[in-house]
Amino acid sequence: MSRCDPLATAIPPMKDLTTENITENVHIVNSQCRDPRLRYLHERIVTHLHDFCRETRLSTEEWQAGIQFLTEIGQISDDLRHEMILLSDTLGVSLLVDSINHPRREPATEGTVLGPFHTHDAKEKDNGAVLHSDPDATPLLVICSVKDTEGDPISDVKIDVWEGDSKGFYDVQDPNRTGPDGRGVLHSDKEGRFFFKAIVPVPYPIPMDGPVGGMLRRLGRHPNRPGHVHFMLDKPGYDLLITALYPRGDPYETSDPVFGVKESLIVDLSEVTDPAMASQYNVEMGTPLLTYDFVLLTDQQARDLRKQKAVEEMQKQNRDVVWHNGLPVPATGVQ
Amino acid sequence: MSRCDPLATAIPPMKDLTTENITENVHIVNSQCRDPRLRYLHERIVTHLHDFCRETRLSTEEWQAGIQFLTEIGQISDDLRHEMILLSDTLGVSLLVDSINHPRREPATEGTVLGPFHTHDAKEKDNGAVLHSDPDATPLLVICSVKDTEGDPISDVKIDVWEGDSKGFYDVQDPNRTGPDGRGVLHSDKEGRFFFKAIVPVPYPIPMDGPVGGMLRRLGRHPNRPGHVHFMLDKPGYDLLITALYPRGDPYETSDPVFGVKESLIVDLSEVTDPAMASQYNVEMGTPLLTYDFVLLTDQQARDLRKQKAVEEMQKQNRDVVWHNGLPVPATGVQ
């Protein structure tokens, strides 16, 4: 069908809209965007949203429920409550984005979700320090090392550590919080070692009183994260490692609601059985013991991996990559 | 890599998570959902969201910006402002969902977006009524018919009509609104005819002072909808038709920000040139004239079309359809 004469405007005319070609038409209108990366992001998200609607024959009532659900998530959110991040977490998106941005290869330690409980007020502590004041908790001796992929120790790595208490609560969840507890910032020594006294972590539920909780209930999912200790390892020249360690055997280990567990991050706790060790670390005999050897990638190693994977992913779309501020965009238009 | 023994829980164990298999793992956890339709919706949305992240190598900063954008859309929304719907509109999703739910085939009239300005307080009016009190507007005589696909007239169709004023504003945008203006509810007569006096519609901008306006600016898009008159045609036994007519030649006709224009809904205005007609409809000679013949599908015709398209779409996924409350779900699991 012919249209009226092209109008005096720089906008490329849309074609006659149908269920099938509306996606192409949205791309045409968005092609006015001058930022090639934003253009690419919109091309892909619009394509996927439309394919979702077409594949499912999304009903008007379902669309309305989705609009309402997303709106409520925004409305319940504030500086302390990040419900949209919780949605991203429970859909596996947060873990995926983290994996994309911090790719790993053997023998580097895998990352996992940051979670909502990291703070910036944790105090610098010496090796051997006690992180927790919780009198009901089971003490845990943690002895770790940090190495590069060649096996050489990395000294002076800044290690941010945080975990919940014996009830599964983080200090920031305590309305009477007066300062940091269950957290600290350590540094690796010349041999790349760091060690501290934590507590044996326990499972805890993610918030279930908002829209995301309603979604999990409708999906028949439970809210309980398996117990873990968070670590963030940072040193200039190395790719930031945000990760966590999960003592084996937690009942929720195979069904983490935010998909944070990876096989390589599950650890077998042992016990302090050597009197010399108990004396050296000033713990009682029989204290549970967690040991782990972290391996960091350099910035260059991580950058190379990211670029390689971006090229592979664009090849799946039969496109070549060009780079825009270090991020991939296709050399050619919509396929 | 082997995992610990399966735990005493009904939850299917997840595999070791990687960038590639996390999608499958989210499907495994969501497989606990007992509602097959909800399970299918989640399977498709999770697949598409993850593919979007993988294809674009979504950066952590872009993910944060997206979380913030969606949160702000919820926060600016209230009973009067529906910013999430505006997002859906400007991404072409609303039009697509409408087309899916109200499929059309020749010679049935195509639908388009409802928009945010429909109200339920429009008054019943007789044929020939004047819809608008705007003294600055150019009057428009509208003469229409309603038929079925066999060409037979349909009487007693309820027709809800609404449009903006000569400045492009709807009555509900007037803070001093005392009652409906520029709207009315008519009924087709025995010959399926209805007619009324409207005004020649003018373009108007969608709201640009919120997050969606910011998105349009970043995309280099303008906010102006081409002028149009809204129609909603309703009669038991027939598929509800929500549509609009767009006088040809509007400068924004080929770049509607909400993708509402379809070729078949663009109309050529003429003029009243016959003195008998001017007298019959009580308008001045030379009054702009809009004529249109609406064609409705029966409920059964629309239902058959919806089912046929749902089957075709599932076949593209190499799946068979089973029906759940009238909506399609796949007979087999994730492909």
Side-chain angles (χ1 to χ4, degrees):
Chain A
M1 227 179 278
S2 74
R3 295 181 68 90
C4 60
D5 287 347
L7 293 152
T9 161
I11 304 156
M14 290 193 281
K15 299 178 182 176
D16 193 25
L17 292 177
T18 67
T19 311
E20 300 309 313
N21 76 9
I22 182 167
T23 310
E24 187 188 346
N25 274 288
V26 179
H27 295 336
I28 288 173
V29 166
N30 286 344
S31 69
Q32 303 166 84
C33 178
R34 293 189 177 189
D35 178 336
R37 175 70 182 168
L38 185 60
R39 209 162 56 216
Y40 181 51
L41 293 181
H42 270 266
E43 177 213 298
R44 299 319 304 157
I45 195 70
V46 166
T47 296
H48 284 297
L49 281 174
H50 288 200
D51 281 349
F52 166 71
C53 296
R54 276 187 289 256
E55 286 167 359
T56 60
R57 316 313 289 172
L58 192 71
S59 77
T60 303
E61 295 71 26
E62 290 167 340
W63 171 82
Q64 282 168 337
I67 293 280
Q68 184 63 22
F69 174 70
L70 289 172
T71 300
E72 284 172 7
I73 287 177
Q75 288 173 337
I76 206 176
S77 295
D78 57 28
D79 286 350
L80 291 174
R81 178 165 190 150
H82 303 286
E83 192 84 357
M84 200 67 78
I85 293 181
L86 193 65
L87 176 64
S88 170
D89 293 348
T90 53
L91 295 180
V93 171
S94 305
L95 190 277
L96 178 58
V97 170
D98 180 75
S99 301
I100 286 168
N101 283 273
H102 299 285
R104 293 289 176 266
R105 60 169 174 76
E106 288 285 335
T109 304
E110 293 189 281
T112 187
V113 287
L114 174 67
F117 298 124
H118 178 253
T119 69
H120 294 279
D121 68 351
K123 296 207 172 109
E124 302 261 337
K125 298 201 172 177
D126 290 331
N127 275 316
V130 175
L131 291 194
H132 249 293
S133 65
D134 184 352
D136 301 325
T138 306
L140 174 70
L141 177 61
V142 184
I143 306 177
C144 303
S145 72
V146 195
K147 293 178 178 168
D148 63 22
T149 54
E150 304 298 308
D152 293 323
I154 312 178
S155 63
D156 205 31
V157 177
K158 180 182 160 194
I159 303 117
D160 209 331
V161 184
W162 66 108
E163 67 167 341
D165 66 15
S166 62
K167 313 287 188 297
F169 292 111
Y170 287 81
D171 57 355
V172 290
Q173 295 176 286
D174 177 359
N176 302 316
R177 180 185 197 260
T178 54
D181 193 20
R183 50 185 88 235
V185 175
L186 297 127
H187 292 266
S188 61
D189 65 17
K190 280 182 196 164
E191 286 79 41
R193 292 171 72 253
F194 67 95
F195 49 95
F196 57 95
K197 287 157 201 158
I199 65 173
V200 176
V202 300
Y204 61 85
I206 60 173
M208 284 294 276
D209 59 339
V212 173
M215 178 187 84
L216 292 187
R217 267 187 287 270
R218 287 190 295 278
L219 288 170
R221 286 169 54 174
H222 72 74
N224 302 304
R225 297 215 61 203
H228 55 273
V229 183
H230 289 277
F231 295 82
M232 185 188 299
L233 291 86
D234 192 12
K235 177 167 181 172
Y238 293 89
D239 195 52
L240 181 72
L241 174 61
I242 297 170
T243 194
L245 298 176
Y246 301 80
R248 193 181 303 278
D250 190 290
Y252 307 110
E253 165 176 285
T254 60
S255 59
D256 183 1
V258 305
F259 307 95
V261 184
K262 294 176 179 178
E263 181 64 33
S264 68
L265 303 176
I266 299 177
V267 289
D268 289 294
L269 298 190
S270 58
E271 286 185 359
V272 175
T273 54
D274 174 7
M277 187 186 211
S279 168
Q280 181 188 349
Y281 290 100
N282 191 27
V283 294
E284 293 186 19
M285 287 286 282
T287 297
L289 173 65
L290 188 167
T291 61
Y292 202 80
D293 299 314
F294 293 95
V295 178
L296 301 187
L297 291 182
T298 64
D299 276 338
Q300 187 62 48
Q301 285 173 321
R303 201 153 42 227
D304 290 347
L305 268 181
R306 269 194 298 273
K307 288 216 161 189
Q308 175 196 327
K309 285 173 189 259
V311 169
E312 287 169 8
E313 201 59 47
M314 205 67 89
Q315 280 169 345
K316 288 184 194 166
Q317 297 179 51
N318 292 314
R319 291 165 133 178
D320 293 324
V321 174
V322 293
W323 303 97
H324 183 77
N325 299 331
L327 292 169
V329 294
T332 49
V334 181
Q335 297 298 297
Chain B
M1 225 180 278
S2 73
R3 295 182 68 91
C4 59
D5 287 346
L7 293 152
T9 161
I11 303 156
M14 291 192 282
K15 299 178 181 176
D16 193 26
L17 292 178
T18 66
T19 311
E20 300 310 313
N21 75 10
I22 182 166
T23 310
E24 186 188 349
N25 274 289
V26 178
H27 294 335
I28 289 173
V29 166
N30 287 345
S31 69
Q32 302 165 85
C33 178
R34 292 186 179 192
D35 178 336
R37 176 69 184 169
L38 186 61
R39 209 163 56 218
Y40 180 50
L41 293 181
H42 270 267
E43 177 214 298
R44 299 319 304 156
I45 195 69
V46 165
T47 296
H48 284 297
L49 280 174
H50 287 199
D51 281 349
F52 166 70
C53 295
R54 276 188 289 256
E55 287 167 358
T56 60
R57 317 313 289 171
L58 192 69
S59 77
T60 303
E61 294 72 24
E62 290 167 339
W63 172 83
Q64 282 168 336
I67 294 281
Q68 184 63 22
F69 175 69
L70 289 171
T71 300
E72 285 173 8
I73 286 177
Q75 289 174 336
I76 206 176
S77 295
D78 57 29
D79 286 348
L80 291 175
R81 178 165 192 152
H82 304 287
E83 192 83 357
M84 201 69 78
I85 293 181
L86 193 65
L87 176 65
S88 170
D89 293 347
T90 53
L91 295 180
V93 170
S94 305
L95 190 278
L96 178 59
V97 170
D98 180 75
S99 302
I100 286 168
N101 284 273
H102 300 285
R104 292 290 176 265
R105 60 170 173 77
E106 288 285 336
T109 305
E110 293 190 280
T112 186
V113 287
L114 174 68
F117 298 123
H118 179 254
T119 69
H120 294 279
D121 68 352
K123 295 205 173 109
E124 302 262 336
K125 299 201 172 177
D126 291 331
N127 276 315
V130 176
L131 291 194
H132 248 294
S133 66
D134 184 351
D136 300 326
T138 305
L140 175 70
L141 177 61
V142 183
I143 305 176
C144 303
S145 72
V146 196
K147 294 178 178 167
D148 64 20
T149 54
E150 304 299 308
D152 293 324
I154 312 176
S155 64
D156 205 32
V157 177
K158 180 183 160 195
I159 302 119
D160 209 330
V161 184
W162 66 106
E163 66 167 342
D165 66 14
S166 61
K167 312 286 188 301
F169 292 111
Y170 287 81
D171 58 354
V172 290
Q173 295 177 286
D174 177 0
N176 301 318
R177 181 186 198 260
T178 54
D181 193 19
R183 51 185 88 235
V185 175
L186 298 125
H187 293 267
S188 60
D189 64 18
K190 281 181 194 164
E191 287 78 41
R193 292 171 70 252
F194 68 95
F195 49 95
F196 57 95
K197 287 158 199 156
I199 64 173
V200 175
V202 300
Y204 59 86
I206 59 173
M208 285 293 278
D209 57 338
V212 173
M215 179 188 82
L216 292 188
R217 268 187 285 272
R218 287 191 293 278
L219 288 170
R221 287 169 55 173
H222 71 74
N224 302 304
R225 296 215 62 205
H228 55 273
V229 183
H230 290 277
F231 295 82
M232 186 188 297
L233 290 84
D234 192 11
K235 177 167 180 171
Y238 293 89
D239 195 52
L240 182 71
L241 174 61
I242 297 170
T243 193
L245 298 176
Y246 301 81
R248 192 182 303 279
D250 191 289
Y252 307 110
E253 162 176 288
T254 60
S255 59
D256 183 359
V258 305
F259 306 97
V261 184
K262 293 175 178 178
E263 181 64 32
S264 67
L265 303 176
I266 299 177
V267 289
D268 289 294
L269 298 191
S270 57
E271 285 184 1
V272 176
T273 53
D274 174 6
M277 186 187 212
S279 169
Q280 180 187 349
Y281 291 100
N282 191 25
V283 295
E284 293 186 19
M285 288 285 283
T287 298
L289 173 65
L290 188 166
T291 62
Y292 202 81
D293 299 315
F294 293 95
V295 179
L296 301 187
L297 291 182
T298 64
D299 276 339
Q300 187 61 50
Q301 286 173 321
R303 201 154 43 229
D304 290 347
L305 270 181
R306 270 195 298 273
K307 287 217 162 186
Q308 175 195 328
K309 286 175 190 258
V311 170
E312 287 170 9
E313 200 61 46
M314 205 67 91
Q315 281 170 344
K316 288 185 193 166
Q317 298 178 51
N318 292 315
R319 292 164 133 179
D320 293 323
V321 173
V322 292
W323 302 98
H324 182 76
N325 299 331
L327 293 169
V329 295
T332 50
V334 181
Q335 300 296 297

